[in-house]
Amino acid sequence: MSEGFHLGYYRGKKVAKWVARYRPPGKAGGYEKATLGEADDTQDADATGVLDYRQAQDKAREWLKDRQGGPKVKANYTVGDVLDEYIEGFAGKDLVNTKRRIEKFIRPALGHIRMDQLTTDHIEKFQRDRAKTPARLRTAKGADEQKYRTLDTDEDRRKRKASTNRDMTVLKAALNYAFNRRKVPSDSAWRLVKPFKGVEVARLRYLTDDEARRVVNAAGPEFRPIVQASLLTGARWGELRRVCCIDVDLLAGTAWLQETKGAAPRVVYLEAEGVELFRQQMAGRKGDDLVFPGPTGERWNDAQQIRRMTDACTAGSVAPAASFHDLRRTYGARLALRGVPMAIIAEALGHKDERITRKHYAHLAPSHVADMVRSNIAGMGIVQPGAVASLGSKQ
């Protein structure tokens, strides 16, 4: 396209891509390279992710302009530096989980790479490798080696890809943070890397009232109150373990959640049974005392619910074992099954977007379509009534 500046077409096994490369005239060494997008061999061009030849030329010139006239990358400015700055200026909704993904997965793989040498290949390799890495299992303290869950089934592999998508969201957010602050001249290395498709499946696990009662009865005495609280409020583990007595108004029947996943305080509404639970938990405690203290009287930590929930489900004959978050889903499901509007459920659960609520609970709500189908399709007489009933089924 000009001296030292080339537009290329690369045909891989599955897809063809447009690539650009540039080396200033007279400069020794290799080219700077970027993947611009997919070629329009099998699908129509959209000027964003799929490009025809003219669009690829325009994109290449835009990329070169960024390289020549945009901000310059400081020497030895690495992905690790980008991650540090992102954490320091973090304004998202889940700092703890974000830091965990960065420190355990992203930094070890990419932290050493200089930003002026970061390529799409680096990002895609990280994505592929993460999707092939078995999930870690909880391992006892002092154990000689970390245990992993093998990727034997399609479901195992789907979960790893879904988890990889979440890692990639954190990585891209950090890199975009640097790009938007003009620490790097281009986002071409990561902008066109796509997440795995079709791997995000709504979790549909919720407990029947009978299963919920069995889990509560089987839970240990120090763990039982916070299990009851989640079932009666829909609050998350991280939210309930931080609630202090001063946050609860028994007369109004409300509890104020100061630290939430969305970083926006919200209120939960207590009915009579919830008010009684909080009243019992607050008896004799001061305003700044925890409503649901851990076994030592201090705040529960992030992971202390996992083993206790598994044990309670085993003792209560609830299979498959429910997670603590399934208690929150049970609260939402009970509302949906009783015909509560999705907007109200979203507000009660603290969802910022009603689409999240619909994704998880709309199928449980009374449906005009379902009613019409069932009332207008007569049976065919091909199934005889059985004499065996399944115990514990959802009615």
Side-chain angles (χ1 to χ4, degrees):
M1 296 180 68
S2 63
E3 185 177 359
F5 180 38
H6 306 86
L7 174 65
Y9 171 90
Y10 171 77
R11 178 71 186 178
K13 292 183 179 179
K14 294 183 179 180
V15 68
K17 296 182 179 181
W18 296 109
V19 294
R21 69 177 187 177
Y22 174 67
R23 182 174 63 192
K27 180 180 178 181
Y31 286 87
E32 296 180 68
K33 300 176 183 179
T35 299
L36 304 174
E38 295 182 9
D40 60 333
D41 291 3
T42 59
Q43 51 186 321
D44 292 337
D46 58 14
T48 303
V50 181
L51 311 174
D52 60 25
Y53 179 60
R54 181 187 58 78
Q55 292 167 346
Q57 288 179 308
D58 293 341
K59 187 79 73 170
R61 293 189 182 98
E62 177 184 337
W63 172 76
L64 181 61
K65 182 179 179 180
D66 287 338
R67 302 302 295 169
Q68 292 178 321
K72 304 300 181 183
V73 181
K74 294 188 300 183
N76 299 323
Y77 185 58
T78 66
V79 175
D81 296 324
V82 169
L83 297 173
D84 290 338
E85 293 173 0
Y86 178 64
I87 292 173
E88 184 177 352
F90 187 76
K93 62 182 182 180
D94 194 352
L95 177 59
V96 172
N97 186 52
T98 297
K99 289 179 69 174
R100 179 184 66 82
R101 292 183 183 277
I102 285 174
E103 300 305 333
K104 286 190 175 182
F105 309 120
I106 301 173
R107 192 187 300 276
L110 298 172
H112 64 285
I113 299 175
R114 285 172 40 171
M115 286 300 296
D116 60 356
Q117 298 176 351
L118 183 68
T119 66
T120 301
D121 287 341
H122 288 125
I123 305 298
E124 291 181 338
K125 183 178 186 303
F126 168 76
Q127 185 183 45
R128 290 193 303 270
D129 291 347
R130 281 292 297 127
K132 295 176 183 177
T133 303
R136 297 185 178 199
L137 295 174
R138 287 182 57 80
T139 305
K141 283 187 176 182
D144 294 334
E145 59 181 298
Q146 173 70 47
K147 295 181 179 179
Y148 296 90
R149 179 184 291 112
T150 56
L151 304 180
D152 294 329
T153 67
D154 289 341
E155 177 64 8
D156 292 334
R157 289 184 282 274
R158 182 200 66 78
K159 288 180 178 179
R160 294 314 294 153
K161 289 182 178 179
S163 182
T164 298
N165 281 352
R166 292 188 281 274
D167 294 339
M168 288 292 294
T169 297
V170 173
L171 172 60
K172 283 191 171 185
L175 294 171
N176 285 330
Y177 181 77
F179 175 66
N180 292 334
R181 295 174 70 237
R182 297 184 63 78
K183 292 295 189 74
V184 293
S186 173
D187 62 350
S188 59
W190 63 88
R191 174 164 42 89
L192 298 178
V193 179
K194 304 297 184 183
F196 293 111
K197 295 182 179 180
V199 297
E200 299 294 339
V201 179
R203 293 286 299 275
L204 304 180
R205 177 76 160 115
Y206 65 94
L207 303 178
T208 64
D209 287 358
D210 182 61
E211 287 175 325
R213 284 189 285 268
R214 298 206 304 270
V215 169
V216 168
N217 292 336
E222 80 288 346
F223 185 55
R224 186 178 301 125
I226 200 168
V227 170
Q228 294 169 307
S230 186
L231 286 167
L232 295 173
T233 66
R236 300 176 178 89
W237 170 256
E239 296 167 342
L240 287 171
R241 66 192 182 94
R242 292 180 170 90
V243 175
C244 294
C245 294
I246 197 172
D247 300 323
V248 182
D249 187 334
L250 293 175
L251 290 178
T254 59
W256 190 252
L257 305 179
Q258 297 283 1
E259 299 182 52
T260 68
K261 181 179 179 181
R266 66 184 178 90
V267 68
V268 292
Y269 301 95
L270 309 174
E271 43 73 61
E273 194 172 14
V275 169
E276 181 58 28
L277 170 66
F278 276 78
R279 188 192 310 279
Q280 293 176 15
Q281 286 297 117
M282 293 166 60
R285 292 193 167 112
K286 298 180 296 184
D288 58 354
D289 286 342
L290 295 168
V291 177
F292 303 104
T296 64
E298 302 296 322
R299 180 187 296 176
W300 293 92
N301 70 31
D302 286 341
Q304 281 181 296
Q305 87 283 11
I306 299 174
R307 183 66 57 82
R308 288 174 169 83
M309 274 298 300
T310 300
D311 291 345
C313 289
T314 300
S317 299
V318 174
S323 68
F324 193 90
H325 202 75
D326 289 331
L327 306 178
R328 170 177 166 84
R329 295 191 184 96
T330 298
Y331 177 85
R334 294 183 77 233
L335 292 175
L337 287 165
R338 286 159 177 77
V340 176
M342 289 293 122
I344 300 298
I345 300 176
E347 180 73 19
L349 291 173
H351 289 162
K352 290 185 177 180
D353 192 327
E354 191 178 319
R355 288 176 296 181
I356 300 173
T357 314
R358 291 189 174 280
K359 176 180 177 182
H360 289 86
Y361 303 109
H363 68 290
L364 300 175
S367 168
H368 176 66
V369 174
D371 292 343
M372 290 297 292
V373 169
R374 290 165 181 154
S375 62
N376 286 282
I377 296 294
M380 299 177 66
I382 58 177
V383 179
Q384 298 301 316
V388 179
S390 176
L391 298 178
S393 62
K394 292 180 173 66
Q395 300 296 328

